[in-house]
């Protein structure tokens, strides 16, 4: 399995996704501040992986905190949460993971005989539990989603919602993996995904690793391929799904959804329940991260655009729920109207 991130006795080890596909190198974070920096600079990226990385960052910070009393450890922990929450604003999994670690801290601290040592051990165990649960959720998503894909044909995906974006197996790519494991003969078209090139670099690398036939296309080629009948389904991941089913995902996802609708192609979104944000009523309320202009003006250190030209770099866009054929989660497949189906599945499967 692709080792996206890993808890080790020395710290948290990350596969450096900024170096892929040409170099397979690892970065060891030994402080929570380093984990925050690794998330911000996208050494690790993808909503579920960001969430579990933050949880491991908190576990690491608490493990190495020099404080010796519970109130001091609590104050230190608050600072760690604030630092990690300031890394990337769109993926709700980040805030979900921090909140879960906060709750665990409170529960552990309220136990009779609680010590700083028992909290440290308990938080490390919680972060590792979240890691294991993420992989299990991806596998269940794969099982739920695979029957939706055609038995053969082309499947388009945007960005990287694979093993590299999770603790393993992937969401959108997990659905594709599961379909292939069940005997489907799929050909994946990976949008290159300007400007960070997650499709060209990461999706292509990871699918080739698994010997799944893959073709990289520039983002502006999708319409033409759809018109030629080469794309039979689209499956993407999500960074946040609002209560009405609007989906925030990598910039350019909205374009793909409109094209799919125009060509009568189903558009599926695969995401774990930790990506669903029932407190946010619709996509307009989702914060969209603005990334540095340098990601657009330069590639591999080389300038592409004239000095001083205006640059926009929103990292995500919102696909209105009306374009989404189904949402695939580990709890099951949701169909429109999402404002009802999301609430119903939440109530039926609340844990
Ligand atoms: O900016 P990134 O690379 O973190 O964006 C990732 C995506 O948009 C993914 O599609 C999303 O996080 C889902 S990952 C399973």
């Amino acid at each position: 399995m692709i080792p996206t991130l890993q808890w080790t006795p020395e710290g948290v080890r990350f596969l450096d996704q900024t170096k892929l596909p040409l170099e397979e190198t690892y970065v060891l974070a030994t402080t929570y501040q380093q984990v925050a920096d690794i998330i911000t600079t996208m050494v690790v990226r993808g909503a579920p992986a960001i969430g579990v990385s933050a949880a491991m960052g908190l576990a690491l910070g608490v493990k190495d905190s020099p404080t010796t009393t519970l109130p001091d450890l609590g104050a230190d922990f608050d600072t760690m949460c604030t630092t990690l929450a300031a890394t990337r604003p769109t993926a709700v999994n980040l805030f979900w993971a921090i909140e879960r670690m906060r709750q665990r801290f409170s529960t552990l601290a309220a136990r009779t005989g609680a010590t700083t040592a028992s909290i440290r051990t308990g938080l490390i165990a919680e972060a590792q539990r979240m890691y294991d649960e993420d992989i299990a959720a991806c596998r269940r998503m794969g099982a739920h989603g695979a029957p939706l894909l055609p038995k053969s044909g082309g499947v388009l995906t945007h960005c990287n919602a694979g093993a590299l974006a999770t603790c393993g197996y992937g969401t959108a790519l997990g659905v594709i993996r599961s379909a292939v494991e069940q005997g489907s003969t799929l050909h994946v078209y990976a949008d290159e995904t300007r400007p960070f090139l997650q499709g060209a670099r990461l999706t292509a690398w990871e699918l080739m690793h698994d010997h799944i036939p893959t073709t990289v296309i520039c983002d502006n080629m999708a319409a033409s391929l759809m018109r030629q009948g080469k794309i039979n389904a689209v499956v993407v991941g999500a960074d946040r799904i609002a209560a009405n089913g609007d989906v925030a995902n990598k910039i350019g996802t909205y374009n793909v959804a409109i094209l799919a609708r125009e060509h009568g192609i189903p558009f599926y979104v695969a995401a774990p329940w930790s990506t669903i944000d029932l407190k946010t009523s619709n996509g307009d309320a989702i914060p969209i991260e603005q990334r540095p202009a340098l990601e657009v003006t330069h590639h591999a250190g080389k300038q592409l655009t004239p000095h001083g030209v205006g640059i926009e770099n929103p990292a995500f866009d919102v696909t209105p729920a009306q374009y989404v054929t189904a949402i695939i989660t580990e709890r099951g497949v949701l169909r429109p109207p999402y404002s009802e189906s999301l609430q119903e599945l939440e109530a039926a499967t609340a844990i």
Side-chain angles (χ1 to χ4, degrees):
M1 202 163 75
I2 294 167
T4 309
L5 66 145
Q6 213 178 5
W7 178 269
T8 77
E10 293 78 37
V12 190
R13 188 172 176 260
F14 294 92
L15 175 56
D16 187 345
Q17 299 193 30
T18 64
K19 301 280 194 323
L20 288 173
L22 301 181
E23 279 176 46
E24 203 174 316
T25 52
Y26 294 84
V27 179
L28 183 72
T30 54
T31 66
Y32 77 89
Q33 292 97 333
Q34 281 172 354
V35 173
D37 191 52
I38 276 168
I39 296 172
T40 306
T41 56
M42 293 170 67
V43 167
V44 69
R45 29 68 50 203
I50 291 171
V52 177
S53 299
M56 289 199 176
L58 290 173
L60 188 61
V62 166
K63 177 173 88 72
D64 293 333
S65 168
T67 53
T68 51
T69 68
L70 285 186
D72 284 350
L73 187 61
D76 219 8
F77 183 69
D78 277 345
T79 307
M80 295 171 205
C81 290
T82 307
T83 303
L84 283 154
T87 51
R88 299 196 69 192
T90 304
V92 76
N93 310 60
L94 172 68
F95 307 99
W96 168 87
I98 293 171
E99 184 51 33
R100 182 162 153 177
M101 290 294 274
R102 268 192 197 281
Q103 283 180 14
R104 191 72 193 137
F105 189 108
S106 303
T107 308
L108 291 164
R111 283 194 181 155
T112 324
T115 60
T116 52
S118 67
I119 290 176
R120 290 184 171 115
T121 313
L123 288 185
I124 294 170
E126 186 71 359
Q128 285 176 319
R129 220 170 358 254
M130 288 160 80
Y131 177 94
D132 292 339
E133 285 173 13
D134 184 61
I135 298 173
C138 287
R139 290 208 173 261
R140 281 201 298 279
M141 248 176 275
H144 287 306
L148 301 178
L149 296 185
K151 286 274 159 260
S152 63
V155 178
L156 180 87
T157 190
H158 190 74
C159 193
N160 172 269
L164 289 167
T166 60
C167 299
Y169 205 68
T171 60
L173 297 193
V175 171
I176 292 172
R177 277 198 170 93
S178 177
V180 169
E181 281 163 16
Q182 290 172 33
S184 299
T185 49
L186 299 175
H187 192 104
V188 179
Y189 289 90
D191 271 351
E192 66 172 350
T193 320
R194 276 278 293 156
F196 210 72
L197 303 178
Q198 289 94 331
R201 297 187 301 107
L202 308 177
T203 296
W205 180 82
E206 136 165 22
L207 291 179
M208 287 185 77
H209 194 272
D210 275 9
H211 307 289
I212 296 176
T214 304
T215 298
V216 172
I217 60 169
C218 300
D219 297 335
N220 52 8
M221 296 173 184
S224 175
L225 264 70
M226 286 181 180
R227 193 169 168 81
Q228 291 168 47
K230 289 185 173 169
I231 313 286
N232 304 100
V234 175
V235 57
V236 296
D239 280 76
R240 195 185 288 233
I241 300 176
N244 70 343
D246 288 352
V247 174
N249 192 48
K250 181 51 54 193
I251 190 75
T253 303
Y254 180 27
N255 306 33
V256 176
I258 294 171
L259 294 178
R261 168 63 52 86
E262 181 65 23
H263 292 87
I265 297 165
F267 179 91
Y268 300 116
V269 174
W273 208 260
S274 52
T275 301
I276 289 162
D277 179 9
L278 295 177
K279 292 196 195 98
T280 296
S281 58
N282 63 65
D284 293 341
I286 297 177
I288 300 294
E289 176 184 7
Q290 301 293 323
R291 300 276 311 166
L294 203 72
E295 290 177 358
V296 176
T297 57
H298 286 66
H299 178 67
K302 196 163 182 270
Q303 189 168 338
L304 306 172
T305 55
H307 281 295
V309 72
I311 299 290
E312 289 264 3
N313 191 13
F316 302 96
D317 60 24
V318 173
T319 299
Q322 69 186 87
Y323 293 102
V324 180
T325 310
I327 298 173
I328 303 157
T329 74
E330 73 276 32
R331 299 190 189 184
V333 175
L334 296 113
R335 298 279 183 178
Y338 297 112
S339 45
E340 289 171 19
S341 55
L342 282 166
Q343 294 287 353
E344 280 165 14
L345 196 55
E346 163 78 355
T349 57
I351 30 177

